[in-house]
Amino acid sequence: MKFTMRTLAAPLALATLLTISLAPAHAKRVHPTHPVHPQHPSKGHGTGSFCTDDADAARSIDIQVPVAQGTETAHGLYAVPAATPSTLVVFAHGYGHTSLSWTEHMKNAARDHGAAAVTMDYRGTEITPDANGDGLPEARGWQVMEGARDMIVAAQFFEKACPSIKNVVIFGVSMGGNSSGLAVALAKDAKHADGSPLFDYWIDVEGAVNVIETYMGASALESVNTFAANAKADIEREMGGSFDEQPEAYADHAVVNHIDDIKASGVKGVIVVHGLDDGLVPYNQAREMTTLLAQAQIPTDMYTIGRKSDESDGDTTLSGYAGGQLDPEYRSPIAGHASEKSQTHTVMVTALDRLWTLTQGAAPGPYNEYFVDGPTGTYP
């Protein structure tokens, strides 16, 4: 059966208006003040142009996204390096997160790797600023199709505003695997004028690439787990109803059903990274994805994370749910679902390492399998 993206009636043309804030990002939304047009990027901050910045900061960005009835504003954060960038990284956040969870990763991209980076907030997501007093907002929504279109327009803007950008990598974690995978699939209709792909590479980190399975898992846990109940409700809001009511919408949003579109996008390769004991997005979703990518002859590298390093911060493990949640002090030695904010968890460390190796010219494929052991740091 072939599924089509009926929900995307609006064109994916480049937005014609973008605004930025000159203040560094913080927990509450920064309202943009200065208009910047793609054809004429203005001097934005520090001593550089829009495409460069001599400050170690992530800054606010609003982009107008075409929709059926005009345009809607998509908000996000971005960071650019001191020197002219040749690489753009589009980060796709996960469930419960916003672009603020990616501030340090974006600053690191610009400061330490000379890349421009942008993270969008997926139109329609409900965001409560600093809800828990930790400086980060609380987010509700599974707005993956909106996020996919937001990221496409953001990538188009940056490539036009910064002609030095020749390489675009989209990097999604958890729910961000769903939105980034859809973005790659939709990019089959958003290539450059010369026919080259919009996204050169896709990195799928513990990604929810089969939202039908994710929905069924959340449904099974909703009576005993508030997080699962919220996810189920938010997925239903995105799909317009339950799976029984809207099966085609669920199929349309499942990345595994769009392998032909991913192939047609021209993406040069995919890297998949997943923890073996993931308690939020089961490891088998990575297996589904890599099997289909390999069958489509899309260059792919698969990284299975076995044991996590001692330096890894907390994660969510499947074994931790055994018997209705084990002792809170239980810590599985096997890698689970890492936080996308993490700078130390073996899943995120591996994925980010692969990102920077990729931008240095180490392309994936034709198909490679790696098993990562956190304590020894080897790829046996």
Side-chain angles (χ1 to χ4, degrees):
M1 183 181 296
K2 183 175 178 62
F3 299 100
T4 58
M5 297 238 180
R6 297 183 302 105
T7 54
L8 286 178
L12 290 169
L14 177 65
T16 57
L17 177 65
L18 174 144
T19 54
I20 64 174
S21 168
L22 305 189
H26 50 76
K28 294 184 179 179
R29 175 168 176 168
V30 178
H31 294 284
T33 55
H34 299 313
V36 178
H37 296 274
Q39 296 82 357
H40 305 286
S42 72
K43 294 287 182 180
H45 36 265
T47 59
S49 70
F50 170 77
C51 303
T52 59
D53 191 352
D54 58 6
D56 183 17
R59 302 182 184 277
S60 181
I61 184 170
D62 280 1
I63 299 178
Q64 300 304 312
V65 179
V67 295
Q69 304 302 320
T71 63
E72 292 179 352
T73 300
H75 177 70
L77 297 174
Y78 76 101
V80 289
T84 304
S86 60
T87 295
L88 170 68
V89 182
V90 181
F91 289 119
H93 71 75
Y95 184 69
H97 290 267
T98 70
S99 57
L100 279 166
S101 292
W102 288 86
T103 298
E104 293 305 314
H105 293 312
M106 288 189 290
K107 288 164 60 177
N108 177 60
R111 180 186 61 242
D112 298 337
H113 300 281
V118 63
T119 310
M120 303 306 294
D121 280 332
Y122 308 175
R123 285 167 297 116
T125 301
E126 299 173 357
I127 300 175
T128 304
D130 202 5
N132 301 312
D134 60 357
L136 291 175
E138 182 176 296
R140 285 286 306 273
W142 196 275
Q143 310 302 115
V144 292
M145 194 68 82
E146 293 84 348
R149 296 183 57 224
D150 296 350
M151 290 185 286
I152 285 175
V153 175
Q156 289 174 318
F157 170 80
F158 271 86
E159 285 204 298
K160 187 167 185 178
C162 307
S164 62
I165 290 174
K166 304 301 181 186
N167 186 39
V168 181
V169 182
I170 188 165
F171 181 113
V173 177
S174 194
M175 183 186 75
N178 194 167
S179 59
S180 61
L182 290 176
V184 176
L186 290 171
K188 71 183 177 64
D189 297 321
K191 294 182 181 181
H192 299 298
D194 63 1
S196 60
L198 178 63
F199 298 114
D200 293 280
Y201 296 99
W202 173 35
I203 300 181
D204 166 30
V205 186
E206 56 191 21
V209 291
N210 188 340
V211 70
I212 299 173
E213 180 179 293
T214 299
Y215 174 78
M216 296 304 179
S219 298
L221 290 172
E222 67 172 325
S223 63
V224 295
N225 187 297
T226 301
F227 184 86
N230 290 344
K232 176 179 183 286
D234 290 343
I235 292 171
E236 289 180 346
R237 180 163 71 95
E238 171 75 345
M239 307 302 177
S242 68
F243 177 75
D244 289 340
E245 295 167 331
Q246 300 289 344
E248 190 171 343
Y250 283 77
D252 238 9
H253 285 67
V255 181
V256 291
N257 289 330
H258 291 287
I259 295 299
D260 290 345
D261 294 331
I262 292 171
K263 179 77 171 180
S265 77
V267 67
K268 298 172 185 175
V270 179
I271 295 172
V272 180
V273 181
H274 214 118
L276 195 59
D277 196 20
D278 195 314
L280 290 181
V281 179
Y283 171 73
N284 70 282
Q285 293 205 23
R287 283 293 167 198
E288 293 174 45
M289 195 76 248
T290 53
T291 298
L292 294 167
L293 290 167
Q295 289 175 341
Q297 297 186 330
I298 298 170
T300 303
D301 283 355
M302 171 68 196
Y303 289 83
T304 297
I305 315 299
R307 294 188 301 168
K308 59 196 172 196
S309 69
D310 292 338
E311 292 76 26
S312 292
D313 49 14
D315 55 7
T316 304
T317 60
L318 186 63
S319 58
Y321 284 111
Q325 283 292 56
L326 296 174
D327 187 293
E329 298 301 317
Y330 172 78
R331 178 178 167 86
S332 171
I334 310 302
H337 196 89
S339 168
E340 60 201 67
K341 297 181 292 182
S342 178
Q343 305 279 337
T344 63
H345 195 284
T346 305
V347 168
M348 287 298 293
V349 169
T350 300
L352 290 166
D353 178 65
R354 294 303 89 199
L355 168 63
W356 304 126
T357 302
L358 179 65
T359 61
Q360 294 168 7
Y367 182 82
N368 298 307
E369 182 93 19
Y370 300 94
F371 299 94
V372 181
D373 181 59
T376 63
T378 60
Y379 303 148

